[in-house]
Amino acid sequence: MKSVNTKNNAGIYRGWLKFWNRNWERWLYTMHRITGIGVGLYFIAHIWETSYSATAFLDVESGGSPIIWTNLMSFLSNEFFHTGLLLVVLASVFHALNGIRLILAEQGILIGRVKPPSFPYIPASIRGGQRYLGAGLVALSFILTVYGFYQLFIIGLGW
Amino acid sequence: MKESTLMLLQYLTGVGILILGAFHFALLSFAGGGYSNAISFASVLSVYMSFGLVFELFLVFLTFHIFNGFRKILVEIYQGALYQKTVTWLMIVAGAATFLWGTRTILIFLGVLH
């Protein structure tokens, strides 16, 4: 009996990263993957960072150690780390909003009405409100990132 | 656990993260009196004292969503029973370690651990 190859042979490059010459939803898929991995790795780093900063709050009944906290915040308050935080804001907002779009798509909400296949065979799913929702979430992600820039750089660093 | 159940939990924790993440961002910006004020020693202590258990719930949602997400991605790259089982257990161990380490931090902030 002939065996069936069920492995995902497209791999990371062709399967995920090569989104050019594909449709808009494929670009959103690639960005969802990249932002998810990025925010996930940041989360692990954030757990480590906060566990270090928590030492400032040991024995907090007697005042804790504000100096440890202040020193850590001084070390992190610069353009390099705040640029990193800004990327985290962009990635997390995009990932969250696109996640909501995906949940709606899976429930069949805002996808186009199904029609018999006819040339040029554009799937109905990318004709409906989902496409506008995708564009809207990208725009909203950038708007909220501008607000993040205001908080991190104008208020945070005093630019 | 069935993949469909894991996917449902992935969606539910995602919605939870969206709500609690928006709350976290708000506390670090306008609700905290601006970013500089929000990260001061006194503000952080006050926020943790008030919302420590909310952060614990946030940690639960994030740990599941992120490590299940990593598992799904790794299983998509390569298939095989042994590989899939190894990846699953690695993610369970890494997720548990991250969760316990984050819980320790929250308990310190709450004054439970000294």
Side-chain angles (χ1 to χ4, degrees):
Chain A
M1 188 179 150
K2 197 177 174 184
S3 67
V4 179
N5 184 4
T6 57
K7 290 194 187 309
N8 176 17
N9 287 330
I12 294 173
Y13 175 66
R14 279 194 301 127
W16 297 357
L17 297 176
K18 197 180 173 190
F19 61 83
W20 46 94
N21 295 331
R22 309 285 176 89
N23 62 32
W24 167 243
E25 284 70 18
R26 178 52 190 274
W27 183 86
L28 292 174
Y29 163 82
T30 301
M31 289 301 133
H32 197 76
R33 273 284 147 92
I34 291 171
T35 55
I37 293 169
V39 173
L41 294 176
Y42 169 76
F43 168 71
I44 295 167
H46 191 54
I47 291 289
W48 176 82
E49 174 221 345
T50 49
S51 76
Y52 173 76
S53 69
T55 54
F57 296 87
L58 281 168
D59 206 13
V60 78
E61 287 88 358
S62 38
S65 307
I67 190 73
I68 296 177
W69 179 263
T70 310
N71 285 344
L72 179 68
M73 288 303 115
S74 301
F75 173 71
L76 295 173
S77 289
N78 57 55
E79 281 77 3
F80 177 76
F81 284 113
H82 279 214
T83 302
L85 283 177
L86 194 64
L87 289 175
V88 170
V89 170
L90 176 62
S92 52
V93 170
F94 170 83
H95 192 86
L97 295 176
N98 192 49
I100 295 297
R101 184 187 69 82
L102 292 173
I103 291 173
L104 293 176
E106 187 160 314
Q107 296 303 313
I109 299 169
L110 291 176
I111 63 170
R113 186 176 292 174
V114 177
K115 292 175 182 170
S118 58
F119 186 80
Y121 306 111
I122 297 171
S125 59
I126 61 174
R127 279 182 174 154
Q130 279 283 331
R131 179 144 283 195
Y132 301 109
L133 198 59
L137 75 88
V138 170
L140 187 57
S141 300
F142 278 103
I143 291 167
L144 290 172
T145 304
V146 169
Y147 181 68
F149 177 84
Y150 168 73
Q151 286 291 336
L152 288 166
F153 285 83
I154 311 292
I155 292 180
L157 295 179
W159 273 20
Chain B
M1 199 178 281
K2 286 196 312 188
E3 279 299 322
S4 57
T5 309
L6 288 170
M7 200 61 218
L8 178 64
L9 287 173
Q10 187 76 356
Y11 285 148
L12 291 175
T13 53
V15 173
I17 291 165
L18 177 68
I19 295 165
L20 297 182
F23 179 66
H24 189 46
F25 280 0
L27 286 176
L28 284 171
S29 54
F30 62 90
Y35 184 73
S36 295
N37 187 54
I39 60 164
S40 69
F41 185 81
S43 289
V44 170
L45 185 59
S46 156
V47 162
Y48 265 92
M49 286 299 194
S50 309
F51 303 111
L53 293 178
V54 175
F55 284 120
E56 183 67 16
L57 188 63
F58 194 27
L59 179 67
V60 170
F61 288 164
L62 279 167
T63 306
F64 178 86
H65 193 86
I66 287 170
F67 285 95
N68 188 47
F70 283 166
R71 184 192 65 84
K72 278 154 54 69
I73 288 170
L74 289 170
V75 165
E76 198 178 283
I77 294 172
Y78 183 80
Q79 288 80 46
L82 179 65
Y83 171 78
Q84 192 162 337
K85 195 171 272 188
T86 307
V87 164
T88 300
W89 277 105
L90 272 177
M91 291 303 112
I92 288 172
V93 170
T98 308
F99 172 72
L100 290 174
W101 200 242
T103 300
R104 171 190 166 272
T105 301
I106 292 171
L107 291 177
I108 289 174
F109 274 102
L110 289 174
V112 177
L113 286 182
H114 300 281

